[in-house]
Amino acid sequence: MAPRHHDLTDSTAGHVAPPVTGEALAGYLRGQATEFLRALRLHRETGGGQNGSGGGTADAVDPARALRRSARRISGSLHTFRPLLDPGWSEEIRPELAWVSGTLALEHACASRLERLLLALQRLSGATVIPAQAPGTATGAAGGTAVSVAGSRKAAAPGAANTAPDRGNLTVGAAKAGALLDRQLTLARTRAHSTALQALGSSRFHAVADKVAVLASEVPLTPHAATADPRPLAAAAEERLVDAVAALPLVTAGHPYNAEALIHGLSPDPSPHPQDAPWHQVRLLLRLHRYALEVLHGDDGPYGDDGRLLPAGQALDRHRDASEAAAAAAQAARTPRIAPATAYALGVLHADQRHEVEAARYAFRHAWQKQTVGTTTS
């Protein structure tokens, strides 16, 4: 593995960094709590997408995303810097913020997964398998599952002939596979939307919002936190990330094909892919590392000096998206009494997404081991 590129105690060359204390953490938490409350107000003003379509309005997307963003950062910071915070309060609110972020993320995840799978089917088959969409939405509303196959005769378009080994058979099943995925994931998206609305109106969420409102003005630090140095705690978060990356099969990720990854997904076992869990864990640890750097340096601080973090995070996001999309394709293929051509199309789609998983791992390996300018010299 490449040598560590980032030093939490260093500032820019020739400049001594001012001392960092628990007040930096307090200021960061107050700022994120303020962002959470602002996003909540905007979400309520836009109605939260309560238009009965199963997907929020376009104006409600950004407030919901901002709510998740702030909740993740508060929760992550409470985890990394918990020795500096009141333990009872921290352990009480942290899982609640994770619940808020996870609940609000489900609807967006279903919509993005459906869009990804339908676009992949279209790319692989050359057929138009994307359902009619309302303007401004990622996917069609619940009930809008009509699938067009008007482009199926254009399968031999230039530049598309080598995307699948048997495009003729794939085109036959692609439309039905797209319709099946649209029904399943639109239903899941509608349920996630209803769950989010119920959660935002629940007494549990109001209790979380009340705690965040208090946090915006008063951070419950421990008595010694005001003068304590939070950098060792941030360094510990970086160590956990480095150790987790060291445990990844980066040698396997350096090869373009991983046949073992396909075997599990095509089996009757519906459990998550065993190879993916360590990569998902690294993605979470990378986020915690980034949030810790934001606490110490802010968005414009030395956090940006480590050129690996942004491309590595993007590669892990693609890995997560492709892994979940492959699982959705495999789940659809287990639907009883589907036509052989439909099952074939879903199998090809599953393999395509597992190849995307391998490509994301390959991209992460190269991003993480890249020697960034100015960070390899001591």
Side-chain angles (χ1 to χ4, degrees):
M1 194 184 73
R4 187 170 305 164
H5 303 301
H6 193 70
D7 187 350
L8 293 171
T9 61
D10 288 344
S11 181
T12 55
H15 177 70
V16 178
V20 180
T21 66
E23 286 303 319
L25 173 62
Y28 181 80
L29 289 176
R30 282 193 294 266
Q32 293 301 324
T34 301
E35 290 298 321
F36 182 95
L37 297 174
R38 180 181 295 114
L40 179 59
R41 176 178 56 81
L42 291 174
H43 192 272
R44 287 170 174 168
E45 288 176 354
T46 57
Q50 302 177 58
N51 56 5
S53 67
T57 62
D59 292 339
V61 173
D62 287 341
R65 185 173 300 166
L67 272 173
R68 288 159 37 206
R69 181 182 187 275
S70 299
R72 285 198 310 266
R73 279 164 169 75
I74 296 173
S75 178
S77 299
L78 296 182
H79 174 79
T80 300
F81 300 101
R82 58 186 179 275
L84 303 181
L85 297 155
D86 177 80
W89 173 87
S90 178
E91 292 304 316
E92 181 181 359
I93 190 175
R94 188 165 59 86
E96 295 300 285
L97 289 168
W99 165 72
V100 170
S101 177
T103 302
L104 295 179
L106 289 175
E107 180 184 359
H108 174 73
C110 290
S112 298
R113 196 171 306 141
L114 176 59
E115 183 178 25
R116 179 187 186 92
L117 289 170
L118 294 182
L119 288 173
L121 269 178
Q122 182 175 0
R123 168 173 52 83
L124 291 166
S125 69
T128 303
V129 297
I130 301 178
Q133 299 179 8
T137 60
T139 61
T145 59
V147 178
S148 170
V149 293
S152 61
R153 296 184 181 275
K154 301 179 181 179
N162 296 324
T163 58
D166 190 349
R167 171 160 285 182
N169 289 338
L170 180 58
T171 301
V172 172
K176 291 184 177 180
L180 176 60
L181 289 167
D182 185 60
R183 286 195 300 270
Q184 292 183 348
L185 290 176
T186 299
L187 177 60
R189 181 189 179 190
T190 302
R191 289 173 175 170
H193 180 72
S194 299
T195 299
L197 290 181
Q198 293 173 4
L200 291 175
S202 67
S203 58
R204 181 181 180 182
F205 177 79
H206 287 299
V208 175
D210 290 342
K211 289 183 174 67
V212 174
V214 173
L215 180 63
S217 58
E218 180 181 356
V219 179
L221 297 174
T222 58
H224 70 281
T227 57
D229 188 352
R231 288 175 294 185
L233 297 174
E238 184 183 18
E239 289 287 348
R240 290 190 290 271
L241 170 63
V242 171
D243 292 343
V245 172
L248 291 176
L250 293 182
V251 174
T252 302
H255 298 284
Y257 181 73
N258 178 8
E260 184 182 349
L262 292 175
I263 297 174
H264 179 275
L266 296 176
S267 73
D269 185 5
S271 61
H273 200 290
Q275 285 192 8
D276 294 345
W279 294 85
H280 295 333
Q281 179 66 15
V282 167
R283 177 176 173 270
L284 295 177
L285 291 174
L286 180 61
R287 275 189 168 181
L288 291 177
H289 175 47
R290 285 176 43 222
Y291 299 161
L293 293 177
E294 289 179 6
V295 169
L296 298 183
H297 308 297
D299 292 336
D300 300 324
Y303 144 62
D305 290 349
D306 191 342
R308 301 172 302 165
L309 296 184
L310 179 60
Q314 291 173 339
L316 291 174
D317 286 344
R318 293 197 302 271
H319 177 276
R320 187 272 317 267
D321 293 343
S323 171
E324 293 180 348
Q331 181 63 33
R334 298 186 183 100
T335 303
R337 297 182 298 278
I338 60 175
T342 305
Y344 174 78
L346 290 170
V348 172
L349 180 61
H350 171 269
D352 174 74
Q353 292 303 301
R354 290 309 306 182
H355 282 301
E356 292 290 335
V357 167
E358 296 305 316
R361 292 179 183 178
Y362 184 81
F364 172 83
R365 173 181 180 268
H366 281 265
W368 188 257
Q369 296 182 342
K370 182 179 180 181
Q371 302 291 325
T372 54
V373 177
T375 56
T376 57
T377 59
S378 57

